[in-house]
């Protein structure tokens, strides 16, 4: 940071740099953080803090992150350097974009799921890739998840002859919310942005396998996963509703046809 010389407007010459602690409520959390000002040693006049926007925002963000037990920007940078990783190498290890690493180190607040992924990466674990949401793809688990939806909705959504036009939307929300809130997807499925909404990647190859799968071969759903399914079913009791909601999602809308929707996009869901 270059510290420029500022002279007191009252003619007392060079102002000095002074640190002070500020207190505020940020996202519902009381935080203390340090800011730097210029102050005239003669008349005590204060001038705007140094590098105000970035330094103050970083200080607020780090104080908040410390308060809610998320890694601070400094801790992320230090954790990365301890492992001799470049920002790009850490991004690859976590299957996120390098821009995310830069932003988190620079003051953007990471989600809980991403914080967990950062801590795992610092422990040397490769975080599962962003296309499967940290879980091994399982067709029986897709069937099990859809059956759980059917229990909650009180009707069949996996139908004999359909292309899972609606079922895939329920599944997509279940996987994305599970990744966002629980740190891993439910089924390990990869989704593509297709004209009729988010859909299982290569769904044509999968549909028959899903219909014929034995869901009892799947790892049972956890209570957290069941809760998510219940809340999605409650939000979208009709198939048209889940279809329409998925079409309002920017993370689908903005993709070119056929592009993969990475799980890292789950933080930008707007409908749930
Ligand atoms: Zn002065």
């Amino acid at each position: 940071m270059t510290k420029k010389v500022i002279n007191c407007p009252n003619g007392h010459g060079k102002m000095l740099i002074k640190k002070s602690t500020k207190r505020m409520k940020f996202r519902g959390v009381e935080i203390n953080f340090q800011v730097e000002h210029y102050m005239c040693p003669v008349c005590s006049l204060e001038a705007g803090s140094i590098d105000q926007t970035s330094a103050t925002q970083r200080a607020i963000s780090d104080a908040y992150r410390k308060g809610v037990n998320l890694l601070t920007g400094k801790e992320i940078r230090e954790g990365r350097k301890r492992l001799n990783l470049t920002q790009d190498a850490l991004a690859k290890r976590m299957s996120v974009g390098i821009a995310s690493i830069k932003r988190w180190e620079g003051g953007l607040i990471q989600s809980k799921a991403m914080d967990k992924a950062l801590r795992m990466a610092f422990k040397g674990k490769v975080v599962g890739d962003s296309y499967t949401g940290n879980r091994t793809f399982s067709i029986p688990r897709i069937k099990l998840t859809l059956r759980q939806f059917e229990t909650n909705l009180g009707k069949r959504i996996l139908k004999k002859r359909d292309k899972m036009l609606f079922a895939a939307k329920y599944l997509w929300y279940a996987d994305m919310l599970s990744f966002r809130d629980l740190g891993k997807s439910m089924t390990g499925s990869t989704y593509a942005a297709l004209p009729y909404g988010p859909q299982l990647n290569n769904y044509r190859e999968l549909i028959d396998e899903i219909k014929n799968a034995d869901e009892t071969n799947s790892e049972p759903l956890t209570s957290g996963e069941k809760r998510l399914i219940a809340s999605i079913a409650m939000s979208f009791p009709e198939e048209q509703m889940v279809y329409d909601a998925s079409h309002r999602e920017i993370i689908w809308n903005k993709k070119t046809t056929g592009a993969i929707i990475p799980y890292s996009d789950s933080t930008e869901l707007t409908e749930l």
Side-chain angles (χ1 to χ4, degrees), residues 33-56:
F33 60 99
Q34 285 217 321
V35 289
E36 289 185 333
H37 302 277
Y38 286 102
M39 194 186 78
C40 172
V42 179
C43 69
S44 296
L45 181 86
E46 286 191 3
S49 51
I50 297 161
D51 208 348
Q52 203 159 17
T53 43
S54 62
T56 305

Side-chain angles (χ1 to χ4, degrees), residues 2-21:
T2 51
K3 294 179 177 172
K4 20 175 212 202
V5 172
I6 292 195
N7 289 310
C8 174
N10 297 331
H12 300 127
K14 200 178 142 192
M15 295 175 91
L16 302 178
I17 291 163
K18 183 186 166 242
K19 281 187 182 163
S20 65
T21 301

Side-chain angles (χ1 to χ4, degrees), residues 53-189:
T53 43
S54 62
T56 305
Q57 278 174 11
R58 251 200 319 275
I60 291 171
S61 162
D62 276 354
Y64 171 79
R65 286 190 279 187
K66 199 158 223 133
V68 297
N69 205 20
L70 295 171
L71 293 168
T72 64
K74 195 173 166 230
E75 286 169 336
I76 296 169
R77 198 161 45 248
E78 285 171 356
R80 177 170 66 73
K81 297 236 162 112
R82 231 184 355 260
L83 295 172
N84 272 323
L85 293 172
T86 60
Q87 289 179 324
D88 191 43
L90 177 60
K92 289 217 170 79
R93 185 178 276 213
M94 294 178 63
S95 298
V96 299
I98 186 173
S100 297
I101 306 292
K102 286 187 177 170
R103 290 192 196 113
W104 297 332
E105 290 187 1
L108 187 88
I109 295 160
Q110 69 276 20
S111 70
K112 261 192 186 156
M114 287 296 108
D115 193 73
K116 208 170 151 189
L118 278 165
R119 289 171 198 268
M120 279 172 69
F122 292 152
K123 280 184 195 148
K125 289 182 189 148
V126 173
V127 180
D129 78 88
S130 190
Y131 286 6
T132 59
N134 298 336
R135 186 185 280 279
T136 306
F137 179 53
S138 163
I139 288 177
R141 212 155 202 265
I142 292 177
K143 182 92 169 270
L144 182 68
T145 302
L146 291 174
R147 290 289 179 239
Q148 185 68 30
F149 269 113
E150 292 178 342
T151 303
N152 282 280
L153 292 165
K155 61 185 161 201
R156 287 259 172 247
I157 54 170
L158 187 60
K159 292 162 196 156
K160 256 205 177 113
R161 250 185 293 280
D162 86 350
K163 301 275 183 246
M164 289 183 59
L165 186 64
F166 298 105
K169 310 293 181 287
Y170 282 113
L171 202 60
W172 182 65
Y173 271 117
D175 271 324
M176 294 297 268
L177 289 189
S178 179
F179 179 81
R180 187 189 70 187
D181 298 349
L182 309 172
K184 64 204 280 198
S185 69
M186 258 183 230
T187 71
S189 298

